[in-house]
Amino acid sequence: MDENQSGQPGGKHPSPYIRLKRFHFIMLVFFLVFATAAITTLALAFGGEKAAEVGMKPHQEFEKLYEAYDKLEKNYYQDVNKEKLVNGAINGMIDSLDDPYSDYMDKKEANQFHESVSSSFEGIGAEIQEEKGMIKVVSPIKGSPAEKAGLRPNDRILAVDGKSLEGMSSSEAVLLIRGEKGTKVKLKVQPAGAKEPMEMTLVRDEIPIETVYAEINDEKVAHIQITSFSEHTAAELKDAIKDMEAKGMTSMVLDVRQNPGGLLDQAIEITDMFVPEGKILFQVEDNNGKREKMVSDNKEKISVPVVVLVDSGSASASEIFAAAMKESAGVPIIGEKTFGKGTVQTAEDFKDGSNMKFTTAKWLTPSGNWIHKKGIKPDIPVKLPDYANLSYLSPDNELKLDSLSEEVKTAEKMLEALGYPPGKVDGFFDGETEKAVKDFQKKSNIEQTGVLSGETTVQLMTDLREKIQENDTQKQKAIDTLKNEQTSSAS
C-alpha cells in the first residue's frame, strides 16, 4: 500500500502520512489481473495510518456476536476454523454497508493489493469493482491483454474459468483473474448493452506500470496520455513535458481516458503544475458536514495552452484532476462523461497482515460539486465512432455460412467499418458476409476459408483497434480546439 501526501488548507503537503482525523489520504489502486489489473485496479481511496491495536470494548451490541461465535465453536458438527469465522464476521459487517468501495482483505488478498502499486504485475490488465454483487470493469490498462481483447468500461465479468464471481468482492475476483505470464484464463463476460454473455480466453502477461506516453505532431501539438497515477507518474510526466518542449511543443493535449485513478499524491503533484497558486484542487467533507480544502501551492506552472480528454473510464484520481483543471484552471474538458466516484476511503492494516478499507467521507470539486455516480460532464462532448464501441469477438467461436447470432452482427459491423461490405447487417452469415470475410483474409494473407475464427478473428479486431486509433475523433477535436485557441490569441 502506498501512502499519499495530503495538505492543510492553503498549506504545503507536510507528510506522506496524514492523520486519520485530519484526513490522511491514501490512493489505493487495484489492478485486476486483468486484470488490474483486469483488475481491481486503482480505486481511489484516501486512507490513514495503520490501525492501532484495538482492545475489546464492552459494547453491549457485541454480546450477540460473541454468543454466536461460542455456539458455533462448541456445537458445530465439524471443527471450525476460528480465523475464518472472524474474517467472515468482519466481511459480513463490511458487506452490510452495501458499499462497493468498502472491503475486507485477508492476508493473501492484502498482499496482492500491496503488489498492485509495484513496477509491474502479471495478469490481464483491467480495473474492476464490485457493484450489487457483480464484478464490473472500470477500465482496461493501455496495451494489456484486456484492452486488446476488447474489454470495456461497464462490462461485467460473470465467471473465471467456470467459477461464478457472483457475490464475490473485487479482491476475491482479482485472486482468480491474476496469474503467471503466459497462462490462459477464460472469462465469461456480459458486454455493456449486450443481451447475451460471451466467453473469451485471454493470455496473461506482465503488466508494466508505465503510465505516461507522449508524442508530438507536425504542428507541434503534444499528445500526452496518462494511463494511471502510479508511484512515478509525476516524474514521468515532467520528463515527457521536457522532451516535448525540446521538440518545440506549442500546446498540449492531456489524455486521461481509460485512466482508473491511482495515487493521490501523484494526482495532486500533477494538478499543481497547471492550477494557479492558491486555487482549490478539491475538497473533502466528513460525515458531520465539515469540509477541508486542498489548495495549489506550486508557483511553477505550464505556460502552453492545454486541453484535457476524458471518457467513462476516467475515474477517481482522474476525476479529481479533471475537475480541478476545469473549475480552477479554466482548462477545456473534451470527450465523454467520466465514471463518477466521489467518495473517500480509509485503509487500515491489521497486525496479522489483513486489511480493511471503508468509506469515511466525500470528495468535492473545487466549486463544491459532488460527482458521485454522476461523473464530470465535458465542456465539449465528443463521442468516438460507433464501431469503437463494438464488443469482443471470441476467436474460439466459429462464425460461418448460415450462422445466426449477435456475434455475427458484430462481425458484420467490424467488416463494414474496415471497408469489406458484408451485405445486410442483420446477424445472418450469408454469401455476402462470407465473401467479405474471404476478401479480408486475402488482404491479411490468411487462408481464404470464409470462416471467421482463430487467426482471422484476432486480425479483424486488431485492424479495427488500429482504425479506432487512426480515427480518434476526441483527440482530433482536442487538437482543433487548441488551434482555434491559438488563432484567437494571435488575432
Side-chain angles (χ1 to χ4, degrees), residues 83-84 87 90-91 104-115 171-172 175 348-356:
E83 181 180 359
K84 193 172 182 179
N87 287 342
I90 299 173
N91 254 323
Y104 171 74
M105 291 168 274
D106 61 24
K107 185 175 181 180
K108 184 177 181 180
E109 293 168 342
N111 286 338
Q112 192 106 61
F113 170 76
H114 294 320
E115 290 172 2
S171 302
E172 292 170 324
L175 291 177
E348 299 187 6
D349 288 338
F350 293 104
K351 290 195 299 182
D352 65 355
S354 60
N355 177 284
M356 180 174 71

Side-chain angles (χ1 to χ4, degrees), residues 28 49 310 477:
L28 304 179
E49 303 170 313
V310 298
K477 183 62 176 179

Side-chain angles (χ1 to χ4, degrees), residues 134-342:
M134 306 295 289
I135 298 299
K136 182 174 75 173
V137 175
V138 173
S139 181
I141 293 176
K142 182 180 176 66
S144 68
E147 183 194 50
K148 293 175 181 177
L151 275 176
R152 300 183 182 281
N154 297 313
D155 287 352
R156 298 188 183 277
I157 302 176
L158 306 179
V160 177
D161 291 331
K163 185 170 184 178
S164 173
L165 300 186
E166 186 174 358
M168 286 191 183
S169 68
S170 55
S171 302
E172 292 170 324
V174 167
L175 291 177
L176 293 177
I177 298 172
R178 281 192 179 183
E180 293 183 5
K181 175 182 178 180
T183 59
K184 294 182 178 180
V185 59
K186 180 176 285 188
L187 305 180
K188 186 176 182 180
V189 176
Q190 178 82 52
K195 296 179 181 178
E196 299 295 330
M198 60 174 58
E199 290 191 342
M200 58 176 71
T201 299
L202 283 68
V203 178
R204 298 178 176 105
D205 201 353
E206 182 176 359
I207 311 298
I209 311 301
E210 181 180 355
T211 60
V212 177
Y213 300 82
E215 60 183 10
I216 193 167
N217 66 14
D218 294 338
E219 297 167 306
K220 303 304 180 183
V221 178
H223 174 250
I224 303 179
Q225 184 175 14
I226 305 173
T227 60
S228 68
F229 293 95
S230 194
E231 185 177 3
H232 304 295
T233 300
E236 287 181 41
L237 178 60
K238 291 174 183 178
D239 288 342
I241 291 175
K242 288 180 181 178
D243 181 44
M244 295 295 99
E245 288 175 338
K247 294 177 180 179
M249 174 181 68
T250 59
S251 58
M252 181 193 314
V253 177
L254 282 176
D255 189 346
V256 291
R257 292 176 296 176
Q258 302 294 298
N259 181 327
L263 301 176
L264 181 63
D265 66 331
Q266 296 295 298
I268 290 173
E269 186 173 351
I270 288 170
T271 309
D272 257 353
M273 296 165 61
F274 301 92
V275 173
E277 182 183 8
K279 292 282 189 176
I280 299 172
L281 301 179
F282 64 95
Q283 305 180 53
V284 173
E285 181 178 296
D286 66 15
N287 56 10
N288 293 316
K290 180 182 178 182
R291 294 187 182 183
E292 277 199 48
K293 297 178 181 179
M294 191 68 177
V295 176
S296 173
D297 62 359
N298 184 15
K299 296 179 175 61
E300 297 182 10
K301 305 297 177 185
I302 303 300
S303 58
V304 299
V306 177
V307 296
V308 174
L309 283 177
V310 298
D311 67 5
S312 61
S314 305
S316 298
S318 295
E319 293 176 292
I320 287 179
F321 168 73
M325 295 291 277
K326 175 185 174 80
E327 296 182 3
S328 290
V331 170
I333 307 298
I334 298 172
E336 299 176 75
K337 187 175 68 172
T338 62
F339 182 79
K341 180 184 182 295

Side-chain angles (χ1 to χ4, degrees), residues 12 17 32 59 91 124 131 256 283 295 302 305 393 474:
K12 295 185 177 294
Y17 294 93
L32 229 156
H59 290 297
N91 254 323
I124 66 169
E131 182 181 82
V256 291
Q283 305 180 53
V295 176
I302 303 300
L393 290 177
Q474 295 169 340

Side-chain angles (χ1 to χ4, degrees), residues 319-388:
E319 293 176 292
I320 287 179
F321 168 73
M325 295 291 277
K326 175 185 174 80
E327 296 182 3
S328 290
V331 170
I333 307 298
I334 298 172
E336 299 176 75
K337 187 175 68 172
T338 62
F339 182 79
K341 180 184 182 295
T343 56
V344 176
Q345 282 70 48
T346 291
E348 299 187 6
D349 288 338
F350 293 104
K351 290 195 299 182
D352 65 355
S354 60
N355 177 284
M356 180 174 71
K357 71 181 179 75
F358 52 96
T359 301
T360 56
K362 304 174 181 179
W363 74 262
L364 310 174
T365 70
S367 298
N369 298 314
W370 193 39
I371 58 91
H372 195 60
K373 296 184 179 181
K374 300 175 185 176
I376 299 168
K377 292 182 179 180
D379 299 300
I380 306 175
V382 182
K383 291 185 177 181
L384 291 174
D386 289 342
Y387 56 75

